[in-house]
Coordinates of all heavy atoms in Angstrom, one line a residue:
Chain A
Y30 N 116.5 113.3 100.5 CA 117.2 112.0 100.5 C 118.7 112.1 100.5 O 119.4 111.2 100.8 CB 116.7 111.2 99.2 CG 117.4 111.6 97.9 CD1 118.5 110.9 97.4 CD2 116.8 112.6 97.2 CE1 119.1 111.3 96.3 CE2 117.4 113.1 96.0 CZ 118.5 112.4 95.6 OH 119.1 112.8 94.4
N31 N 119.2 113.4 100.3 CA 120.6 113.6 100.3 C 121.2 113.9 101.7 O 122.4 114.0 101.9 CB 121.0 114.8 99.4 CG 121.2 114.4 98.0 OD1 121.9 113.4 97.8 ND2 120.6 115.1 97.1
N53 N 108.7 113.4 99.2 CA 109.2 112.1 99.1 C 109.4 111.7 97.6 O 108.5 111.9 96.8 CB 108.1 111.2 99.7 CG 108.5 109.7 99.7 OD1 109.6 109.4 100.0 ND2 107.5 108.8 99.4
P54 N 110.6 111.2 97.3 CA 110.9 111.0 95.8 C 109.9 110.2 95.1 O 109.6 110.4 93.9 CB 112.3 110.3 95.9 CG 112.9 110.7 97.2 CD 111.8 110.9 98.1
F55 N 109.3 109.2 95.7 CA 108.4 108.3 95.0 C 107.1 109.1 94.7 O 106.3 108.8 93.8 CB 108.0 107.1 95.9 CG 109.1 106.1 95.9 CD1 110.0 106.0 97.0 CD2 109.3 105.2 94.8 CE1 111.0 105.1 97.0 CE2 110.4 104.3 94.9 CZ 111.2 104.2 95.9
I58 N 107.4 111.1 91.6 CA 107.2 110.3 90.5 C 105.6 110.1 90.3 O 105.1 110.1 89.2 CB 107.9 108.9 90.7 CG1 109.4 109.1 90.7 CG2 107.5 107.9 89.6 CD1 110.2 107.9 91.1
K136 N 105.5 104.2 96.5 CA 105.5 102.9 97.1 C 105.9 102.9 98.5 O 105.6 102.1 99.3 CB 106.3 101.9 96.2 CG 107.8 101.9 96.5 CD 108.4 100.6 96.0 CE 109.9 100.6 96.1 NZ 110.6 99.4 95.6
Q137 N 106.7 103.9 98.9 CA 107.3 103.9 100.2 C 107.7 105.3 100.5 O 108.2 106.1 99.7 CB 108.5 103.0 100.0 CG 109.5 102.9 101.2 CD 110.5 101.8 100.9 OE1 110.4 101.0 100.0 NE2 111.6 101.9 101.6
I139 N 110.4 107.5 102.3 CA 111.8 107.2 102.6 C 112.2 107.6 104.0 O 113.4 107.4 104.4 CB 112.8 107.8 101.6 CG1 112.7 109.3 101.6 CG2 112.6 107.2 100.2 CD1 113.9 110.0 100.9
L197 N 110.7 103.4 91.2 CA 111.7 104.4 90.7 C 111.7 104.6 89.2 O 111.9 105.6 88.7 CB 113.1 104.0 91.1 CG 113.3 104.0 92.6 CD1 114.7 103.3 92.9 CD2 113.3 105.4 93.1
R198 N 111.4 103.5 88.4 CA 111.6 103.6 87.0 C 110.3 104.0 86.2 O 110.3 103.9 85.0 CB 112.3 102.4 86.5 CG 113.8 102.4 86.7 CD 114.4 101.0 86.7 NE 114.1 100.2 87.9 CZ 114.8 100.3 89.0 NH1 115.8 101.1 89.2 NH2 114.5 99.5 90.0
Chain B
G201 N 127.5 95.5 90.4 CA 128.1 96.5 89.5 C 127.3 97.8 89.5 O 126.1 97.7 89.7
G202 N 128.0 98.9 89.4 CA 127.3 100.2 89.4 C 127.5 100.9 88.0 O 127.8 100.3 87.0
R203 N 127.2 102.2 88.1 CA 127.3 103.0 86.9 C 128.7 102.9 86.3 O 128.9 103.0 85.1 CB 127.1 104.5 87.3 CG 126.7 105.3 86.1 CD 126.8 106.8 86.4 NE 126.1 107.3 87.6 CZ 124.9 107.7 87.7 NH1 124.1 107.8 86.6 NH2 124.4 108.1 88.8
G204 N 129.7 102.6 87.1 CA 131.1 102.5 86.6 C 131.3 101.4 85.6 O 132.2 101.5 84.8
L205 N 130.3 100.5 85.5 CA 130.4 99.4 84.5 C 130.2 100.0 83.1 O 130.6 99.4 82.1 CB 129.4 98.3 84.8 CG 129.9 97.1 85.5 CD1 130.9 96.3 84.6 CD2 130.6 97.4 86.8
R206 N 129.4 101.0 83.0 CA 129.2 101.8 81.7 C 128.3 101.1 80.7 O 127.9 101.8 79.7 CB 130.5 102.2 81.1 CG 131.2 103.3 81.9 CD 132.0 104.2 81.1 NE 133.1 103.5 80.4 CZ 134.4 103.5 80.7 NH1 134.7 104.3 81.7 NH2 135.3 102.9 80.0
A228 N 123.2 94.9 91.5 CA 123.5 96.2 90.9 C 123.0 97.4 91.7 O 122.2 97.2 92.6 CB 122.8 96.3 89.5
S229 N 123.6 98.5 91.4 CA 123.1 99.8 92.0 C 121.9 100.2 91.2 O 121.6 99.8 90.1 CB 124.1 100.8 92.0 OG 124.3 101.3 90.7
R230 N 121.1 101.2 91.8 CA 120.0 101.7 91.1 C 120.5 102.4 89.8 O 119.8 102.3 88.7 CB 119.3 102.8 91.9 CG 118.3 103.5 91.2 CD 117.7 104.8 91.8 NE 116.8 105.5 90.9 CZ 116.2 106.6 91.2 NH1 116.4 107.2 92.4 NH2 115.4 107.2 90.3
A231 N 121.6 103.1 89.8 CA 122.1 103.8 88.6 C 122.3 102.8 87.5 O 122.0 103.1 86.3 CB 123.4 104.5 88.9
A232 N 122.8 101.6 87.8 CA 123.1 100.6 86.7 C 121.7 100.0 86.2 O 121.6 99.8 85.0 CB 123.9 99.4 87.3
V233 N 120.7 99.9 87.1 CA 119.4 99.4 86.6 C 118.7 100.5 85.8 O 118.2 100.3 84.7 CB 118.5 99.0 87.8 CG1 117.1 98.6 87.3 CG2 119.2 97.9 88.6
D234 N 118.8 101.7 86.3 CA 118.1 102.8 85.6 C 118.7 103.0 84.2 O 118.0 103.3 83.2 CB 118.3 104.2 86.3 CG 117.4 104.3 87.5 OD1 116.7 103.3 87.8 OD2 117.4 105.4 88.2
Q243 N 118.5 95.1 91.5 CA 118.8 96.3 92.4 C 118.9 95.9 93.9 O 118.0 95.3 94.5 CB 117.7 97.3 92.2 CG 118.1 98.6 93.0 CD 117.0 99.7 92.8 OE1 116.6 100.0 91.7 NE2 116.6 100.3 93.9
V244 N 120.0 96.3 94.5 CA 120.2 96.1 95.9 C 120.1 97.5 96.6 O 120.6 98.5 96.0 CB 121.7 95.6 96.1 CG1 122.0 95.6 97.6 CG2 121.8 94.2 95.5
G245 N 119.4 97.5 97.7 CA 119.3 98.8 98.4 C 118.0 99.1 99.1 O 117.2 98.2 99.2
Q246 N 117.9 100.3 99.6 CA 116.7 100.7 100.3 C 115.4 100.3 99.7 O 114.5 99.9 100.3 CB 116.7 102.3 100.5 CG 115.6 102.8 101.3 CD 115.5 104.4 101.3 OE1 116.2 105.0 100.5 NE2 114.9 104.9 102.3
T247 N 115.4 100.5 98.4 CA 114.1 100.2 97.7 C 114.3 99.0 96.7 O 113.4 98.8 95.8 CB 113.7 101.5 96.9 OG1 114.7 101.9 96.1 CG2 113.4 102.6 97.9
G248 N 115.3 98.3 96.9 CA 115.5 97.1 96.1 C 115.6 95.9 97.1 O 114.9 95.8 98.0
K249 N 116.6 95.0 96.8 CA 116.7 93.8 97.7 C 117.7 94.1 98.8 O 118.7 94.8 98.6 CB 117.1 92.6 96.8 CG 116.0 92.2 96.0 CD 116.3 91.0 95.1 CE 115.0 90.6 94.3 NZ 115.4 89.8 93.1
Y256 N 130.5 90.3 99.7 CA 129.9 91.3 98.8 C 130.9 92.1 98.1 O 131.7 92.8 98.7 CB 128.9 92.2 99.6 CG 128.0 93.1 98.7 CD1 126.8 92.6 98.3 CD2 128.5 94.4 98.3 CE1 126.0 93.4 97.5 CE2 127.7 95.1 97.4 CZ 126.4 94.7 97.0 OH 125.6 95.4 96.2
V259 N 131.4 96.8 92.8 CA 132.3 97.2 91.7 C 131.8 98.5 90.9 O 130.7 98.4 90.4 CB 132.5 96.1 90.7 CG1 133.5 96.4 89.6 CG2 132.9 94.8 91.4
G260 N 132.6 99.5 91.0 CA 132.1 100.7 90.3 C 130.8 101.3 90.9 O 130.0 101.8 90.2
I261 N 130.7 101.2 92.2 CA 129.6 101.7 93.0 C 130.1 102.7 94.0 O 131.1 102.4 94.7 CB 128.9 100.5 93.7 CG1 128.2 99.6 92.6 CG2 127.9 101.0 94.7 CD1 127.4 98.4 93.2
S262 N 129.5 103.9 94.0 CA 130.0 104.9 94.9 C 129.7 104.7 96.4 O 130.5 105.1 97.2 CB 129.5 106.3 94.5 OG 128.1 106.3 94.6
G263 N 128.6 104.0 96.7 CA 128.3 103.8 98.1 C 127.3 104.8 98.6 O 127.4 105.2 99.8
A264 N 126.3 105.2 97.9 CA 125.2 106.0 98.4 C 124.5 105.3 99.5 O 124.4 104.1 99.5 CB 124.2 106.4 97.2
I265 N 124.0 106.1 100.4 CA 123.3 105.5 101.6 C 122.2 104.6 101.2 O 122.0 103.5 101.8 CB 122.8 106.7 102.5 CG1 122.1 106.1 103.8 CG2 121.8 107.6 101.8 CD1 123.1 105.8 104.8
Q266 N 121.5 104.9 100.1 CA 120.4 104.0 99.6 C 120.9 102.7 99.1 O 120.2 101.7 99.2 CB 119.6 104.7 98.5 CG 118.8 105.9 98.9 CD 119.6 107.2 98.9 OE1 120.8 107.2 98.5 NE2 119.0 108.3 99.3
H267 N 122.1 102.6 98.7 CA 122.7 101.4 98.3 C 123.2 100.6 99.5 O 122.9 99.4 99.6 CB 123.9 101.5 97.3 CG 124.4 100.2 96.7 ND1 123.7 99.5 95.7 CD2 125.4 99.4 97.1 CE1 124.3 98.4 95.5 NE2 125.4 98.3 96.3
L268 N 123.9 101.3 100.4 CA 124.4 100.7 101.6 C 123.3 100.0 102.4 O 123.5 99.0 103.0 CB 125.1 101.7 102.5 CG 126.2 102.5 101.8 CD1 127.0 103.3 102.9 CD2 127.2 101.6 101.1
A269 N 122.1 100.6 102.3 CA 120.9 100.0 103.0 C 120.7 98.6 102.7 O 120.2 97.8 103.5 CB 119.7 100.9 102.7
G270 N 121.1 98.2 101.5 CA 120.8 96.8 101.1 C 121.9 95.8 101.2 O 121.7 94.7 100.9
I280 N 135.7 97.9 94.8 CA 136.7 98.2 93.7 C 136.2 99.5 93.1 O 135.1 99.6 92.5 CB 136.7 97.1 92.7 CG1 137.2 95.8 93.4 CG2 137.6 97.5 91.5 CD1 137.1 94.6 92.6
N281 N 137.0 100.6 93.2 CA 136.5 101.9 92.7 C 137.7 102.7 92.4 O 138.7 102.7 93.1 CB 135.6 102.6 93.8 CG 134.8 103.7 93.2 OD1 135.4 104.6 92.6 ND2 133.5 103.6 93.4
K282 N 137.7 103.5 91.3 CA 138.9 104.3 91.0 C 139.0 105.6 91.7 O 140.1 106.2 91.7 CB 139.0 104.5 89.5 CG 137.9 105.4 88.9 CD 138.1 105.6 87.4 CE 137.0 106.5 86.9 NZ 137.0 106.5 85.4
D283 N 138.0 105.9 92.5 CA 138.0 107.1 93.2 C 138.2 106.8 94.7 O 137.4 106.2 95.4 CB 136.6 107.8 93.1 CG 136.5 109.0 94.0 OD1 137.5 109.5 94.6 OD2 135.3 109.6 94.0
S284 N 139.4 107.2 95.2 CA 139.7 106.8 96.6 C 138.8 107.5 97.6 O 138.7 107.1 98.8 CB 141.2 107.2 96.9 OG 141.4 108.6 96.8
D285 N 138.1 108.5 97.2 CA 137.2 109.2 98.1 C 135.8 108.6 98.1 O 134.9 109.1 98.8 CB 137.1 110.7 97.8 CG 138.4 111.4 98.1 OD1 139.1 111.0 99.0 OD2 138.7 112.4 97.4
A286 N 135.5 107.6 97.3 CA 134.2 107.1 97.2 C 133.7 106.6 98.6 O 134.5 105.9 99.3 CB 134.1 105.9 96.2
P287 N 132.5 106.9 99.0 CA 132.0 106.6 100.4 C 132.0 105.0 100.6 O 132.1 104.6 101.7 CB 130.6 107.1 100.4 CG 130.4 107.9 99.2 CD 131.6 107.8 98.3
I288 N 132.0 104.3 99.5 CA 131.9 102.8 99.7 C 133.1 102.3 100.5 O 133.1 101.3 101.3 CB 131.8 102.1 98.3 CG1 131.5 100.6 98.5 CG2 133.1 102.3 97.5 CD1 130.1 100.2 98.8
L296 N 140.2 98.2 96.7 CA 141.2 98.4 95.7 C 140.9 99.7 95.0 O 139.8 99.8 94.4 CB 141.2 97.3 94.7 CG 141.8 95.9 95.1 CD1 141.6 94.9 94.0 CD2 143.3 96.1 95.4
V297 N 141.8 100.7 95.0 CA 141.5 101.9 94.3 C 142.1 101.7 92.9 O 143.4 101.8 92.8 CB 142.2 103.1 95.0 CG1 142.0 104.4 94.3 CG2 141.7 103.2 96.5
A298 N 141.3 101.4 92.0 CA 141.8 101.0 90.7 C 140.7 101.0 89.6 O 139.5 101.1 90.0 CB 142.5 99.6 90.8
D299 N 141.1 100.9 88.4 CA 140.2 100.8 87.3 C 139.6 99.4 87.3 O 140.3 98.4 87.1 CB 140.9 101.1 86.0 CG 140.0 101.2 84.8 OD1 138.9 100.6 84.9 OD2 140.4 101.8 83.8
L300 N 138.3 99.3 87.3 CA 137.7 98.0 87.4 C 137.9 97.2 86.1 O 138.0 95.9 86.2 CB 136.1 98.1 87.6 CG 135.3 98.7 86.5 CD1 134.7 97.6 85.6 CD2 134.1 99.5 87.1
F301 N 138.1 97.8 85.0 CA 138.3 97.1 83.8 C 139.7 96.4 83.7 O 139.9 95.5 83.0 CB 138.1 98.0 82.6 CG 136.7 98.6 82.5 CD1 136.5 99.9 82.7 CD2 135.6 97.8 82.2 CE1 135.2 100.4 82.7 CE2 134.3 98.3 82.2 CZ 134.1 99.6 82.4
E302 N 140.6 96.8 84.6 CA 141.9 96.1 84.8 C 141.8 95.1 85.9 O 142.3 94.0 85.8 CB 143.0 97.1 85.0 CG 143.4 97.9 83.8 CD 144.2 99.1 84.1 OE1 144.8 99.2 85.1 OE2 144.2 100.1 83.2
Ligands
LIG418 C1 114.2 107.3 96.6 C2 115.5 106.7 96.2 C3 115.7 105.4 96.4 C4 116.9 104.8 96.0 N1 117.1 103.5 96.1 C5 118.3 102.9 95.8 C6 118.5 101.5 95.9 O1 117.7 100.8 96.4 N2 119.7 101.0 95.5 C7 120.7 101.8 95.0 O2 121.8 101.3 94.7 N3 120.5 103.1 94.9 C8 119.3 103.7 95.2 N4 119.1 105.1 95.0 C9 120.1 105.8 94.2 C10 121.4 106.2 95.1 O3 121.1 107.5 95.7 C11 122.6 106.5 94.1 O4 122.2 107.4 93.1 C12 123.0 105.2 93.4 O5 123.2 104.1 94.3 C13 124.3 105.4 92.6 O6 124.7 104.3 91.9 P1 126.2 104.1 91.5 O7 127.0 104.0 92.8 O8 126.3 102.9 90.6 O9 126.6 105.4 90.7 P2 127.5 106.6 91.0 O10 127.2 107.2 92.3 O11 127.6 107.4 89.8 O12 129.0 105.9 91.2 C14 129.7 105.3 90.2 C15 131.0 104.9 90.8 O13 131.8 104.2 89.8 C16 133.2 104.6 89.9 N5 133.8 104.2 88.7 C17 133.5 104.8 87.4 N6 134.3 104.2 86.5 C18 135.1 103.3 87.1 C19 136.1 102.4 86.7 N7 136.5 102.3 85.4 N8 136.7 101.7 87.6 C20 136.4 101.7 89.0 N9 135.4 102.6 89.4 C21 134.8 103.3 88.5 C22 133.1 106.1 90.2 O14 134.3 106.5 90.9 C23 131.9 106.1 91.1 O15 132.2 106.1 92.5 C24 117.9 105.6 95.4 C25 117.7 107.0 95.3 C26 116.5 107.5 95.7 C27 116.3 109.0 95.6

Side-chain angles (χ1 to χ4, degrees):
Chain A
Y30 80 96
N31 272 313
N53 183 41
F55 289 99
I58 297 172
K136 85 162 172 183
Q137 174 174 341
I139 59 162
L197 295 169
R198 281 161 284 275
Chain B
R203 202 196 309 266
L205 262 296
R206 291 209 298 254
S229 70
R230 173 193 173 180
V233 176
D234 283 3
Q243 185 178 313
V244 170
Q246 179 186 20
T247 55
K249 288 181 182 160
Y256 189 89
V259 183
I261 291 180
S262 61
I265 183 80
Q266 292 85 5
H267 186 78
L268 306 188
I280 299 169
N281 196 304
K282 66 179 181 191
D283 172 10
S284 63
D285 290 331
I288 190 78
L296 284 175
V297 180
D299 187 335
L300 71 91
F301 298 111
E302 284 164 24

